[in-house]
Amino acid sequence: MGLLSLGTPLEWPESRQYNDHVRKNGIEQLLYIFLAANGRKNDPLLWGDEIEYMMCKIDDAGRNAVLAVDDDDVLCALNTEDVGVCQAHNTSFHPEYGRYMIEATPARPYTGFMSNYVEENMGERRAIVDSKLEKRGVELLSLAVFPRMGCPGFTDLSESWDHHNSASRSLYLPDEIINRHARFPTLTANIRTRRGEKVCMNVPMYKDKRTPDHDDTVFVRDWFTIEDKEGPLASKPGHIYMDSMGFGMGCSCLQLTFQAPTVDKARYLYDSLVNFAPIFLAATAASPAFKGWLADQDVRWNVISGAVDDRTPYERSTEPLLPEYNNGNGKSLNEHPMRIPKSRYSAVDLYLGGNSFFDREFNDTDVPVNQEVLERLQSNDIFPMDFDLARHFSHLFIRDPLVVFQERVDQDNKHSTDHFENIQSTNWQTLRFKPPTQEATPENKKCPGWRVEFRPMEIHLTDFENAAYANFIYLVVECLLTFSDDINAYVPMSEVWKNMEIAHRRDAVLDEEFYWKIGFNKEGTRKLSFTEIFHHPESGIFPQFIDRILVHKGFVSSSWTELKNSRQSAHLRLYYYLKLISDRATGALPTTARFLRDFILNHPDYKEDSRLTSVINYDMLKLASRLTHLDDTNGELTRFFGEEIVQFLR
Ligand code: ADP
Ligand code: MG
Ligand code: MG
Ligand code: MG
Ligand code: MG
Ligand code: MG
C-alpha cells in the first residue's frame, strides 16, 4: 500500500461520473512517466519485501483467540511519535485493509544479495511492534488467514452487532474490522454497489465423515432488503460461503519488489516470473481453513480474487441473483458494456514482450482491452508506446476507478500519478509492473526506477521462512537479470492460468503436476511434479537458476549443497533457506497448510465434521505463536522444519 491519498472519498453513484475522467487523465500521466523515465539505464537491483501481520488476543483462561480490532492506534503511533525508532531500525509500517492488520517493509530497500540482513530486518519490525503490543496482551502473528474469521465472537469487540454494517452488508463481518481510513469502507461499499450484489466466494469444503453437505452458517436476515436475501441463492452445496471483501483483503501475504536496470529488463523480468507465480503460490500454501471450516484447498488466492470482484452479472456472463432488484443486469453501467472473464484480482493476463524470446502467440487467452486507451497509447505525440506494452495497460484500463477523492479530481498530468495509480493499484495481479513517476528522469537516481512486484506468495509464521522465500526469489531474479540473453521462460499464458487453478488444490505440492518449461534455452512445456520443477537437471529451478547464480557469484563451484560446509554465516544460513524450500518441494517437509491441517484433524476436540471450534482455533493460534518464536517445547518445530534446520536455528 502506497501512501493513502487524503480527502473525501466519493460514493459510487457520484464517483462513477469520473470513471472516464480518471482513465483518460491516468493514461496521459502514464505517457508523461514514459517520456521522463524511458531512458533510465543501469539502475541497481534494489529490492524489498512487504510482510502483513494480524494482531491477535489469546485468552488462556477462556481458551479463546480473537482478532484484536481496537489496537490500530499502535499503527498510528508507529507513524508519528515512533518514526525516529523506525528510521533507526530501517523499518516502515503501513495500514492494510483489516483494522487488526499491520504491514511492514524495510524503510530503505535492500541492495543486491543481503542474506542475513533480510531476516534481521524482519526481526526488527516484529520486535518494534511486539514491544508496543506486549503491555496490551496482544500478539503479532504473520498468519495467512485467521481461521475463524466471520464466526461468532471472532473479534475482541463486544458490540459489533447492535448496529448494521452498511459498508459490507456481510452476514458475518462487522464493518469495524475494516481499517478506519475512509478509503477502505468506501472501497468495500463501492465494489458491492458496482457489482450490484455482495461479493460471493464459495470455497470447496473439506469432506470428512460427518461434514454437513452445505455451509449451515448461511441465513436470511432483514436489515438490507436485497443483500440479506442473497445467502441461500449465492452459496453452493459442499462449499464454504463468504460474502464480503474482508474475507480476502483481510488475509496476509508476502510480496517482493525488484528494480530492474532498464524498462526493457523490467518487462523481461516480469514476463519471466509469470509462470513462477502459480508455483510459488502452491509452494507457500498456508491457508487450510476459512470461516471456521476446513477447506478442500490450501491457499487464499481465489478468496481474495472473489472478495474484490466488482464485475456486474453481465460482465461475468451470468444472471443476477435477484433479477427483480438487479434488473439492469449491470448493463446500464456504461455505454459499451463488455464481458470480462476474470476478476480485477487474478493471475497475470498478458506478457509485456519487448525482447527476442517473446512471441505474441504466448498471449493466447481471452483478454479484453479498452480500445480507446490502446489507440491513444500507441499514437500520441508524448510517447508512442509499442503494441504489446500498450495492450497490457489497455487491459488494466478496462476497469473503473473504485475510490475517487473529491479533492483529487483535477490533477496536473505532468506531475501527478494519482489517476494512473488509481487504476493500476486496483488491478491486483500475481505480478505488478510498477512504472516510476514523471520525476524519474535518467539523471535523477534518487527516484525509484522500473520495478516488478512478485505477489502470489502466502505469508509464513516465522521470519526464517519469509526470509527464505524472499532470498530465494531474489536469487531467481538476479539470475534472470544476469543471464537475460539466454533464459527463455515463456510458456503459453493459458497454461499459466491452468497452473493457477492447480495451485489451489489441496496438497498440490505433493499430488499435482504443473505446466513447466522443458528447458530454459528452448521452446516447449510439459507437466512436471514439484520435485521435478525444483530439481530436474534441465529445467529445475535449483540447477537452472539457484546453482547457476551461486556459481556466478562465486559462492559455490557447482551446487547449492556446498553452502552447507561454508564458514561464512551468511552462506550457511542461505543453505538452510534453500534446504527448507527444497524439502517442502519434494514433500520431505510439510507445507504450512498441511502442518496446520494435520493439527486440526488430530485435535481431540475435532469431530470429523470439518468444523474448527473456538477451542481448536485457540490451540492452533497457540501453536502458531510457539512456531513464530521458534519454541520447540512440544517437538512441533522439529516436526515442522525437520531436525537439521531446527539444530541450525538453535
Ligand atoms: P506497494 O504496497 O505499493 O507494493 P510498498 O511501499 O508497501 O509498496 O512496498 C514496496 C517495497 O519495495 C518495499 O519493500 C520497499 O522497500 C521496496 N522498494 C522501495 N524502493 C525500491 C526500489 N527503488 N526498487 C525496488 N524496491 C524498492
Ligand atoms: Mg499489503
Ligand atoms: Mg505495501
Ligand atoms: Mg498493498
Ligand atoms: Mg484501543
Ligand atoms: Mg505490494
Side-chain angles (χ1 to χ4, degrees):
M1 178 71 41
L3 273 185
L4 294 171
S5 304
L6 293 175
T8 320
L10 299 176
E11 287 180 13
W12 184 248
E14 246 189 294
S15 156
R16 56 180 283 199
Q17 303 173 52
Y18 299 107
N19 289 350
D20 279 332
H21 173 84
V22 169
R23 272 191 292 262
K24 196 164 174 292
N25 289 284
I27 285 302
E28 299 309 297
Q29 295 174 358
L30 179 65
L31 291 173
Y32 284 114
I33 292 171
F34 269 88
L35 178 67
N38 186 57
R40 285 178 80 97
K41 289 207 170 54
N42 301 320
D43 280 337
L45 178 41
L46 304 181
W47 64 291
D49 67 89
E50 296 163 68
I51 292 194
E52 292 168 347
Y53 309 89
M54 298 186 189
M55 293 184 275
C56 299
K57 272 197 186 131
I58 305 186
D59 166 17
D60 292 323
R63 295 190 76 192
N64 194 28
V66 298
L67 286 172
V69 170
D70 201 24
D71 291 279
D72 50 341
D73 57 300
V74 163
L75 181 61
C76 200
L78 288 166
N79 282 285
T80 48
E81 63 209 54
D82 300 324
V83 282
V85 180
C86 293
Q87 264 167 11
H89 294 272
N90 191 26
T91 61
S92 171
F93 298 91
H94 321 269
E96 251 306 327
Y97 181 83
R99 215 171 116 193
Y100 54 88
M101 292 172 84
I102 293 180
E103 180 187 288
T105 65
R108 293 177 301 280
Y110 314 127
T111 313
F113 180 70
M114 310 267 290
S115 187
N116 289 3
Y117 180 69
V118 175
E119 188 175 341
E120 262 169 48
N121 186 272
M122 289 175 179
E124 303 261 27
R125 285 177 244 168
R126 209 182 270 278
I128 288 174
V129 187
D130 274 346
S131 72
K132 300 190 73 76
L133 292 178
E134 220 167 22
K135 304 164 214 118
R136 306 171 180 225
V138 175
E139 274 225 41
L140 191 72
L141 294 176
S142 42
L143 195 63
V145 184
F146 187 78
R148 272 177 62 86
M149 180 88 175
C151 295
F154 77 102
T155 71
D156 60 348
L157 300 169
S158 49
E159 280 152 10
S160 50
W161 291 117
D162 62 1
H163 53 277
H164 297 180
N165 49 350
S166 59
S168 80
R169 308 194 173 182
S170 170
L171 296 176
Y172 312 104
L173 305 184
D175 281 350
E176 284 83 353
I177 64 122
I178 305 171
N179 188 308
R180 281 190 284 184
H181 187 287
R183 181 187 135 83
F184 295 95
T186 308
L187 192 55
T188 311
N190 286 2
I191 286 174
R192 178 177 50 67
T193 321
R194 185 187 188 287
R195 182 180 163 96
E197 298 172 348
K198 283 188 294 181
V199 295
C200 157
M201 295 81 84
N202 281 290
V203 166
M205 192 182 284
Y206 177 75
K207 197 103 192 92
D208 209 337
K209 282 193 204 108
R210 285 178 259 279
T211 305
D213 58 12
H214 66 278
D215 180 344
D216 56 17
T217 66
V218 179
F219 65 102
V220 175
R221 187 178 57 184
D222 62 359
W223 292 356
F224 305 105
T225 319
I226 310 175
E227 291 83 357
D228 283 352
K229 294 188 178 66
E230 287 172 12
L233 300 166
S235 59
K236 289 202 230 157
H239 288 73
I240 307 162
Y241 170 64
M242 290 170 274
D243 67 348
S244 85
M245 185 168 170
F247 282 107
M249 284 299 188
C251 293
S252 295
C253 69
L254 170 64
Q255 296 174 340
L256 305 170
T257 297
F258 301 94
Q259 179 167 274
T262 63
V263 61
D264 287 342
K265 287 284 174 93
R267 291 170 69 169
Y268 167 81
L269 180 61
Y270 179 97
D271 284 5
S272 303
L273 289 173
V274 164
N275 200 32
F276 279 79
I279 300 306
F280 275 84
L281 173 60
T284 58
S287 309
F290 299 90
K291 212 185 77 172
W293 298 99
L294 262 180
D296 204 23
Q297 72 178 45
D298 278 346
V299 298
R300 78 204 187 286
W301 187 270
N302 59 0
V303 178
I304 318 186
S305 177
V308 291
D309 189 354
D310 68 330
R311 290 173 303 157
T312 64
Y314 178 85
E315 288 166 341
R316 282 179 284 126
S317 301
T318 184
E319 291 304 311
L321 291 168
L322 293 157
E324 61 273 39
Y325 297 102
N326 193 356
N327 51 22
N329 198 7
K331 262 196 203 168
S332 60
L333 272 177
N334 61 46
E335 279 169 58
H336 310 288
M338 59 167 109
R339 308 287 186 177
I340 305 179
K342 277 159 83 239
S343 164
R344 58 200 292 159
Y345 195 116
S346 70
V348 160
D349 285 296
L350 291 166
Y351 287 113
L352 307 180
N355 66 74
S356 60
F357 298 124
F358 174 68
D359 181 333
R360 235 164 245 171
E361 289 182 3
F362 290 125
N363 282 326
D364 64 343
T365 52
D366 172 18
V367 177
V369 297
N370 181 326
Q371 203 59 42
E372 218 173 295
V373 167
L374 183 63
E375 278 156 30
R376 174 69 187 160
L377 286 174
Q378 291 177 97
S379 40
N380 62 76
D381 46 26
I382 305 170
F383 182 91
M385 202 180 274
D386 64 271
F387 170 77
D388 298 299
L389 199 55
R391 191 175 172 200
H392 162 76
F393 288 112
S394 66
H395 170 61
L396 303 188
F397 275 68
I398 64 170
R399 311 288 176 177
D400 286 340
L402 291 170
V403 181
V404 174
F405 287 89
Q406 195 172 355
E407 295 80 355
R408 306 286 304 147
V409 168
D410 294 314
Q411 292 174 23
D412 173 355
N413 293 337
K414 290 187 180 164
H415 299 283
S416 171
T417 58
D418 267 28
H419 287 323
F420 168 69
E421 287 294 339
N422 194 330
I423 306 283
Q424 154 96 345
S425 71
T426 53
N427 270 275
W428 296 276
Q429 303 195 344
T430 39
L431 295 172
R432 184 174 286 157
F433 178 63
K434 292 178 165 175
T437 64
Q438 300 92 332
E439 278 172 52
T441 52
E443 324 65 67
N444 188 359
K445 291 287 181 185
K446 275 194 220 112
C447 257
W450 302 94
R451 288 142 302 145
V452 173
E453 185 180 20
F454 190 70
R455 304 164 47 82
M457 293 196 283
E458 308 237 312
I459 198 76
H460 280 74
L461 291 167
T462 65
D463 296 334
F464 174 74
E465 293 163 282
N466 291 320
Y469 291 106
N471 278 301
F472 191 95
I473 298 296
Y474 169 80
L475 289 174
V476 170
V477 166
E478 191 185 342
C479 185
L480 282 163
L481 291 176
T482 306
F483 301 107
S484 55
D485 289 340
D486 61 44
I487 301 179
N488 171 356
Y490 285 104
V491 313
M493 189 60 77
S494 55
E495 294 185 354
V496 178
W497 287 15
K498 286 184 199 142
N499 281 346
M500 271 313 271
E501 193 250 295
I502 299 167
H504 280 78
R505 299 186 196 153
R506 178 163 50 86
D507 289 326
V509 166
L510 302 178
D511 302 339
E512 302 294 340
E513 292 191 326
F514 294 76
Y515 294 94
W516 193 251
K517 286 292 298 249
I518 53 175
F520 285 88
N521 50 11
K522 49 185 149 194
E523 298 282 323
T525 61
R526 63 181 159 162
K527 280 187 119 179
L528 291 183
S529 69
F530 241 71
T531 302
E532 290 168 320
I533 289 170
F534 280 80
H535 291 297
H536 189 287
E538 266 115 60
S539 62
I541 302 172
F542 273 94
Q544 293 299 321
F545 292 87
I546 303 299
D547 288 344
R548 188 169 186 186
I549 194 65
L550 292 181
V551 169
H552 176 80
K553 292 168 86 64
F555 287 15
V556 299
S557 66
S558 67
S559 162
W560 65 279
T561 52
E562 294 163 41
L563 294 169
K564 187 178 177 178
N565 304 315
S566 174
R567 273 189 233 114
Q568 288 188 45
S569 88
H571 289 191
L572 195 58
R573 186 164 287 265
L574 177 59
Y575 169 75
Y576 288 100
Y577 292 155
L578 298 175
K579 180 174 165 52
L580 172 79
I581 291 167
S582 170
D583 284 354
R584 281 189 175 158
T586 60
L589 288 178
T591 62
T592 301
R594 182 74 250 178
F595 192 76
L596 296 178
R597 183 184 297 280
D598 283 341
F599 179 82
I600 296 163
L601 291 171
N602 293 311
H603 192 282
D605 212 41
Y606 180 67
K607 305 273 187 328
E608 300 182 310
D609 57 359
S610 308
R611 287 178 212 271
L612 262 88
T613 62
S614 56
V615 169
I616 300 178
N617 184 65
Y618 162 80
D619 282 330
M620 190 180 130
L621 261 76
K622 291 295 278 188
L623 165 69
S625 165
R626 286 190 296 277
L627 294 175
T628 301
H629 300 106
L630 305 180
D631 172 350
D632 199 23
T633 320
N634 305 336
E636 294 146 338
L637 196 68
T638 300
R639 286 201 297 283
F640 191 41
F641 284 156
E643 199 77 59
E644 205 186 319
I645 292 178
V646 171
Q647 289 248 305
F648 167 74
L649 290 174
R650 256 190 223 120

